[in-house]
């Protein structure tokens, strides 16, 4: 990580970001390491950034105006080097613009920025999409950070607690990563989703069209990570059991439905951005630890 960029906050918190992929490699909040320690034999990433699609595409391809392009899982931003657009001690903004390589995968002119801002005990992570093309820009974007599980060293059962009650059913992820019409039951009870590694043996749990704008990753022993989402209507949870992490993934879009073969402009969950417009999607991750009683 020779070109890694370190951010620091007056409170002592820190973060490390890699310009390649705009990837969050480390974040330490209130003396606790939050991002998993990457093990290439399990998964060679910590927090890929998803753009201009989220999830799998049919046969690893998309169709735009009658032509086919090899745009595969989660797009290409996580495989591109970003430029530093602005940097301060506790703030970083990285930028990616289209080039010959991206236009061979996704035939649009764009500017995609990733912001990181440290607060006391919290990290704000935003995605900014700008359409510099002459036609509407179809896109989806998302965050994919892998947080340590167990969180803060807890041996107690962990859970996700949503802000509001959500549906317990999630789509089955079918062959090729496509979203199937069949659903699978989760152990979600109202707002609380108890976590067990075997829940992820088949694939991610993808909660679509949330009522909630926030959730909490609770370690069962008084420490928690809250996630507040701005214009991210979906969230995915994923790990590779028994790997010691849980990815909490705010998304604007999701993978191709199994019955979808159409144009990218017509794909469910894609956003359309008019020429000259910008859109911002953000999340604030905040770590808290309750003081012991007595």
């Amino acid at each position: 990580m020779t070109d890694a960029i370190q951010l620091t906050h007056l409170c002592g918190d820190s973060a490390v970001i890699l310009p390649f992929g705009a990837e969050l490699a480390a974040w330490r909040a209130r003396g606790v390491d939050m991002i998993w320690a990457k093990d290439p034999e399990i998964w060679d990433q910590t927090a890929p950034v998803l753009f201009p699609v989220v999830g799998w595409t049919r046969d690893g391809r998309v169709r735009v105006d009658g032509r086919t392009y090899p745009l595969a899982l989660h797009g290409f931003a996580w495989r591109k080097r970003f430029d530093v657009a602005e940097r301060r001690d506790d703030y970083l903004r990285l930028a990616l613009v289209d080039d010959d390589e991206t236009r061979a995968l996704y035939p649009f002119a764009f500017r995609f920025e990733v912001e990181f801002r440290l607060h006391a005990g919290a990290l704000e992570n935003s995605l900014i999409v700008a359409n510099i093309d002459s036609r509407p820009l179809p896109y989806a974007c998302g965050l994919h950070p892998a947080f340590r599980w167990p969180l803060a060293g807890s041996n107690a059962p962990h859970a996700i607690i949503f802000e509001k009650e959500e549906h317990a059913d999630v789509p089955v992820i079918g062959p090729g990563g496509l979203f199937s019409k069949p659903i699978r039951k989760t152990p979600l009870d109202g707002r609380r989703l108890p976590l067990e590694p075997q829940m992820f043996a088949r694939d991610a749990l993808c909660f679509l069209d949330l009522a909630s704008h926030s959730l909490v990753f609770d370690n069962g022993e008084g420490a928690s990570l809250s996630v507040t989402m701005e214009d991210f209507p979906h969230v995915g949870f994923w790990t590779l059991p028994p790997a010691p992490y849980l990815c909490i993934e705010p998304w604007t879009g999701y993978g191709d439905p199994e019955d979808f073969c159409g144009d990218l402009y017509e794909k469910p969950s894609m956003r359309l951005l008019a020429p000259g417009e910008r859109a911002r999607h953000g999340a604030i991750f905040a770590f808290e630890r309750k003081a012991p009683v007595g």
Side-chain angles (χ1 to χ4, degrees):
M1 296 198 301
T2 56
D3 63 346
I5 298 171
Q6 179 157 331
L7 304 184
T8 57
H9 191 274
L10 291 173
C11 72
D13 289 359
S14 62
V16 177
I17 296 102
L18 306 181
F20 186 85
E23 185 165 21
L24 177 65
W27 170 37
R28 187 170 178 82
R30 306 189 190 279
V32 176
D33 289 318
M34 304 301 297
I35 300 298
W36 92 297
K38 181 169 62 176
D39 182 348
E41 293 189 4
I42 298 174
W43 185 46
D44 194 26
Q45 293 178 284
T46 54
V49 173
L50 318 181
F51 176 83
V53 294
V54 171
W56 294 87
T57 58
R58 179 178 295 278
D59 301 322
R61 297 179 178 275
V62 297
R63 291 144 295 281
V64 179
D65 294 336
R67 294 188 60 183
T68 301
Y69 298 85
L71 185 61
L73 175 65
H74 293 327
F76 51 70
W78 60 276
R79 294 187 282 113
K80 297 288 289 182
R81 181 172 294 276
F82 285 64
D83 294 325
V84 176
E86 187 176 356
R87 180 180 178 182
R88 298 190 294 274
D89 287 347
D90 59 359
Y91 173 82
L92 177 66
R93 180 163 53 89
L94 299 172
L96 175 70
V97 296
D98 61 284
D99 57 22
D100 289 345
E101 183 180 54
T102 68
R103 287 189 293 271
L105 306 173
Y106 175 72
F108 299 95
F110 66 86
R111 181 179 177 90
F112 179 57
E113 296 181 331
V114 183
E115 282 187 343
F116 301 88
R117 188 189 304 270
L118 282 174
H119 304 274
L123 175 68
E124 185 176 355
N125 194 180
S126 298
L127 305 178
I128 302 147
V129 183
N131 182 2
I132 56 177
D133 209 295
S134 59
R135 54 182 169 164
L137 185 81
Y139 78 92
C141 63
L143 303 170
H144 199 308
F147 297 103
R148 296 189 181 216
W149 181 18
L151 177 67
S154 168
N155 292 317
H158 288 45
I160 295 292
I161 304 172
F162 289 99
E163 173 194 17
K164 300 178 180 179
E165 291 193 5
E166 303 290 349
H167 293 292
D169 300 333
V170 298
V172 171
I173 308 300
L178 303 183
F179 275 51
S180 301
K181 289 188 181 299
I183 56 175
R184 57 184 287 202
K185 288 282 188 182
T186 71
L188 177 67
D189 182 9
R191 296 170 50 231
R192 186 179 181 85
L193 176 69
L195 293 171
E196 294 291 344
Q198 63 266 24
M199 295 165 56
F200 305 95
R202 292 164 58 188
D203 212 317
L205 299 182
C206 305
F207 289 84
L208 307 182
D209 301 313
L210 294 172
S212 303
H213 295 285
S214 64
L215 58 87
V216 172
F217 179 30
D218 183 1
N219 83 343
E221 291 187 347
S224 63
L225 174 74
S226 67
V227 184
T228 302
M229 298 171 286
E230 177 188 356
D231 203 9
F232 281 122
H234 321 296
V235 67
F237 304 101
W238 175 77
T239 188
L240 286 170
Y245 66 81
L246 176 69
C247 288
I248 302 177
E249 309 175 33
W251 301 335
T252 68
Y254 48 85
D256 282 13
E258 62 180 353
D259 59 354
F260 176 73
C261 299
D263 193 280
L264 194 60
Y265 279 110
E266 302 166 345
K267 176 183 170 179
S269 83
M270 294 296 285
R271 301 289 182 92
L272 289 181
L273 196 61
E277 287 193 347
R278 291 161 51 93
R280 174 185 287 267
H281 311 274
I284 298 176
F285 304 97
F287 177 67
E288 296 183 359
R289 192 202 297 268
K290 295 180 182 176
V293 177

